């Protein structure tokens, strides 16, 4: 069945939404450092230890910590408000990042780096999910919601164009510690500016004097399937970061690392713009399966690339396949998850990307240390193929059904919460 496209409410209409710019601009500034974090850790720790395996492991601990704590951050934001979670979070993240930098420069043992990496990852501010939740409040089921999902994906990828370039430039041209120090500083300033925008944050659900404790978004079967899909996407990000760094160093051009990763992210961003500009007359769950199949196929060729031009071309193609999968996954959340649990749902998906990235940088780092140059590119292939297999087998769980079941837990009384 061919994909048919028609015009949809566009980006211009979306950006004219009243009050949108009050959270979009600080939100962009606050999420920029996230794209710098992993590559900054990899480049710093590799410089101080001489091992991509150690660098990947330190970055992986950060990613795992973020993946484990992100959903709780989202749940707390749904319950107590985004500002109450963000303010202490960005302070902790900045201090932890600076501590990790100091330990790496002091050639501290790997376990000490891991100890600092845990709070660094756990306190990563979940700006993207929080912005998406604010769009949900503003648009309230409008046809612009899919456009907003695409716009947020494009914004995420724009940060992944500039973030790695900036981090790599700072680490290679200034000092290996400059990337992580800048990341911590930008997180603090951007996070506090975003937290100050109180008027657009989702309202906290209150009944009487008790706050409602919603059922976890992870109880929705479709969310669990999406988590697996996003784990595979994370394996692409992590595998590319380590393997591109190893490849460019092996050819004596470490400065090309940020350029190649920027090409990959640019492909992601460009395809995201296209996805948000058209309305696909194909069910979103089918669109996700088809797009993910293309991603797995493109990622399977990375390991065979032996030149900068070929690798850049394949990276661009892989990037172009990621955005449709991300946009469709986030769009499906709107139909699968009740409004009161969407920030948590978005953080589960963000956390899944981080967890997949963490596993990928660990495995890819070991492969690059022990086998041939480019062996780390096997990780994106394996991750996407395994995720695609799961997605095909469980695609029926992504179908949005009428909301009829009520599940909730309250304090002192029960409040209905619809779930699929």
């Amino acid at each position: 069945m061919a994909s048919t496209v028609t015009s949809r409410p566009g980006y211009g209409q979306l950006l004219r939404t009243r009050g949108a710019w009050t959270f979009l601009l600080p939100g962009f500034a606050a999420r920029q450092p996230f794209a710098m974090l992993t590559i900054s850790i990899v480049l710093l720790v590799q410089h101080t230890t001489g091992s991509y395996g150690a660098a990947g492991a330190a970055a992986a601990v950060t990613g795992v910590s973020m993946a484990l704590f992100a959903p709780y951050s989202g749940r707390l934001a749904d319950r107590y408000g985004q500002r109450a979670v963000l303010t202490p979070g960005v302070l902790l993240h900045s201090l932890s990042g600076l501590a990790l930098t100091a330990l790496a420069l002091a050639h501290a043992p790997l376990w000490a780096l891991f100890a600092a990496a845990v709070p660094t990852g756990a306190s990563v501010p979940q700006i993207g999910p929080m912005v998406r939740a604010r769009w949900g409040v503003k648009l309230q089921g409008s046809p612009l919601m899919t456009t907003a999902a695409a716009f947020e994906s494009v914004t995420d990828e724009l940060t992944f164009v500039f973030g790695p370039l900036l981090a790599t430039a700072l680490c290679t041209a200034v000092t290996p510690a400059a990337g992580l120090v800048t990341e911590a500083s930008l997180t603090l300033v951007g996070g506090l500016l975003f937290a100050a925008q109180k008027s657009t944050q989702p309202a906290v659900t209150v009944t009487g004097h008790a706050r409602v404790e919603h059922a976890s978004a992870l109880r929705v079967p479709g969310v669990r399937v999406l988590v697996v899909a996003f784990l595979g996407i994370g394996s692409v990000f992590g595998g590319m970061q380590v393997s591109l760094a190893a490849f460019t160093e092996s050819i004596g051009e470490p400065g090309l690392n940020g350029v190649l990763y920027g090409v990959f992210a640019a492909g992601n961003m460009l395809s995201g713009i296209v996805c948000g500009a058209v309305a696909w007359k194909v069910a979103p769950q089918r669109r996700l399966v088809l797009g993910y199949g293309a991603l797995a196929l493109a990622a399977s060729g990375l390991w065979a690339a032996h030149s900068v031009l070929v690798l850049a071309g394949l990276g661009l193609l892989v990037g172009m396949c990621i955005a449709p999968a991300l946009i469709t996954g986030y769009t499906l959340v709107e139909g699968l998850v009740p409004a009161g649990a969407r920030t948590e749902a978005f953080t589960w998906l963000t956390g899944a990307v981080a967890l997949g990235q963490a596993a990928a940088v660990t495995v890819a780092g070991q492969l690059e240390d022990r086998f041939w140059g480019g062996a780390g590119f096997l990780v994106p292939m394996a991750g996407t193929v395994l995720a695609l297999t799961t997605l095909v087998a469980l695609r029926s769980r992504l179908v949005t059904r009428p909301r009829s079941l009520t599940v909730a837990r309250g304090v002192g009384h029960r409040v209905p919460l619809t779930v699929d």
Side-chain angles (χ1 to χ4, degrees):
M1 174 177 169
S3 296
T4 306
V5 299
T6 59
S7 63
R8 68 155 70 252
Y11 292 112
Q13 184 179 345
L14 177 72
L15 296 178
R16 287 193 296 271
T17 302
R18 184 183 297 275
W21 286 104
T22 63
F23 63 86
L24 285 181
L25 289 178
F28 179 79
R31 75 174 76 185
Q32 182 67 45
F34 177 66
M36 302 172 61
L37 181 59
T38 299
I39 190 65
S40 295
I41 293 175
V42 168
L43 294 176
L44 173 61
V45 177
Q46 194 279 330
H47 173 79
T48 57
T49 65
S51 169
Y52 279 104
V61 170
T62 305
V64 170
S65 180
M66 189 198 108
L68 293 177
F69 283 90
Y72 295 100
S73 172
R75 191 179 301 178
L76 289 172
D78 283 330
R79 189 181 306 170
Y80 298 108
Q82 295 181 0
R83 186 166 184 253
V85 175
L86 268 177
T87 302
V90 296
L91 292 171
L92 176 60
H93 181 77
S94 299
L95 291 173
S96 301
L98 293 176
L100 177 58
T101 303
L103 289 169
L105 292 175
H107 299 280
L110 198 55
W111 65 263
L113 300 183
F114 290 169
V118 170
T120 301
S123 57
V124 169
Q126 300 302 309
I127 302 297
M130 290 181 180
V131 171
R132 287 180 169 91
R134 293 186 187 217
W135 276 124
V137 171
K138 284 288 182 183
L139 299 177
Q140 293 289 344
S142 159
L144 282 169
M145 277 306 305
T146 301
T147 306
F151 180 82
E152 287 307 309
S153 179
V154 171
T155 303
D156 283 339
E157 294 319 310
L158 187 60
T159 68
F160 277 96
V161 171
F162 294 115
L165 283 171
L166 177 59
T168 301
L170 289 170
C171 291
T172 56
V174 182
T175 174
L180 203 51
V181 171
T182 303
E183 187 275 339
S185 302
L186 289 176
T187 297
L188 179 63
V189 175
L192 291 178
L193 285 174
F194 183 79
Q197 311 306 312
K198 296 185 291 183
S199 63
T200 56
Q201 73 173 354
V204 178
T205 305
V206 180
T207 303
H209 297 288
R211 298 182 186 272
V212 176
E213 181 184 350
H214 293 293
S216 172
L218 200 60
R219 293 186 179 185
V220 180
V223 172
R224 297 196 291 270
V225 177
L226 290 174
V227 164
V228 175
F230 278 54
L231 281 168
I233 292 173
S235 75
V236 178
F237 287 126
M240 291 286 282
Q241 286 181 337
V242 171
S243 302
L244 286 175
F247 175 80
T248 53
E249 182 174 311
S250 70
I251 63 173
E253 296 287 349
L256 286 177
N257 176 34
V259 175
L260 287 174
Y261 198 85
V263 169
F264 159 70
N268 198 343
M269 181 181 65
L270 292 173
S271 65
I273 292 173
V274 173
C275 285
V278 298
W280 300 89
K281 288 192 173 180
V282 175
Q285 63 273 13
R286 185 182 180 193
R287 201 163 71 241
L288 179 60
V289 171
L290 292 175
Y292 214 97
L295 172 61
L297 182 62
S300 297
L302 289 169
W303 67 273
H306 298 294
S307 73
V308 172
L309 287 179
V310 173
L311 193 54
L314 282 173
L316 180 67
L317 182 60
V318 172
M320 292 176 68
C321 293
I322 284 181
L326 285 172
I327 291 168
T328 307
Y330 282 124
T331 301
L332 282 166
V333 168
E334 293 296 325
L336 293 170
V337 182
R342 282 180 193 154
T343 304
E344 182 197 346
F346 288 136
T347 54
W348 275 113
L349 300 188
T350 304
V353 173
L355 185 59
Q357 181 174 318
V361 294
T362 302
V363 177
Q366 294 295 329
L367 291 176
E368 292 291 348
D369 279 346
R370 300 185 182 189
F371 298 101
W372 72 92
F377 286 121
L378 293 172
V379 175
M381 178 180 72
T384 53
V385 168
L386 290 173
L388 176 62
T389 303
T390 303
L391 194 58
V392 171
L394 301 177
R395 63 189 181 280
S396 62
R397 299 187 181 184
L398 298 174
V399 178
T400 302
R401 297 180 177 85
R403 302 184 186 279
S404 58
L405 179 64
T406 60
V407 180
R409 298 188 303 276
V411 182
H413 51 274
R414 299 180 63 84
V415 180
L417 171 67
T418 56
V419 299
D420 295 294

